[in-house]
Amino acid sequence: LAMGLGLQWLDPPRSEALDPAVPGALVDAFKLSLGFGLGGKHGGIGFSWHHLSTDRAPGLDALDSFDVGASIRQSAYLGLGVVARDLNQPRIASDAPRCLGCPVDQTRSYDLELALRALGDDRLELGAGVRTM
């Protein structure tokens, strides 16, 4: 059983700001993430909640999203993981920056990854993954 807590400051580069000449036009935000996981020798499952907070873009403020994932470790040499992101497809409001055609729902996406461990542990691992929406 595990729990994790994360806090990110999302600060876009000036080149991606709404108006690079105006410091107040930068849409910075804080993202709080809380995750829970349960696992054993042959696999695990996890759930996470993400909350966005910003005072510069009301359309993005208080946006919540949820993810769920699972992993299966067939052996010490092979593992498979899958994640579903933005399960609730949070709605981005019409006053969000750079949002033409809003309101819009955040698109749900799915990740699939395969990991091969040549030595049977995490000293040497080769992974390949794909994301689809």
Side-chain angles (χ1 to χ4, degrees):
L1 181 64
M3 184 179 97
L5 179 68
L7 181 63
Q8 294 174 288
W9 176 34
L10 307 174
D11 185 25
R14 280 215 172 269
S15 62
E16 295 180 15
L18 297 177
D19 182 353
V22 180
L26 292 173
V27 180
D28 59 348
F30 287 96
K31 180 180 177 183
L32 175 68
S33 298
L34 180 62
F36 296 95
L38 179 63
K41 183 177 179 180
H42 297 291
I45 57 172
F47 174 81
S48 63
W49 162 71
H50 310 282
H51 179 77
L52 200 62
S53 177
T54 178
D55 59 355
R56 295 193 180 166
L60 296 174
D61 190 41
L63 198 66
D64 292 305
S65 69
F66 301 93
D67 304 337
V68 65
S71 67
I72 299 170
R73 290 179 287 284
Q74 186 69 23
S75 71
Y77 299 93
L78 179 65
L80 178 69
V82 63
V83 177
R85 300 181 190 280
D86 297 316
L87 285 175
N88 60 321
Q89 295 183 296
R91 179 156 288 233
I92 299 172
S94 58
D95 55 353
R98 291 184 179 225
C99 192
L100 303 174
C102 284
V104 65
D105 292 335
Q106 179 67 30
T107 304
R108 185 178 300 131
S109 65
Y110 304 92
D111 297 355
L112 180 65
E113 184 154 343
L114 178 68
L116 300 171
R117 292 180 166 181
L119 305 175
D121 57 29
D122 60 1
R123 289 180 292 158
L124 179 60
E125 182 174 285
L126 176 65
V130 63
R131 176 177 287 178
T132 183
M133 295 183 177

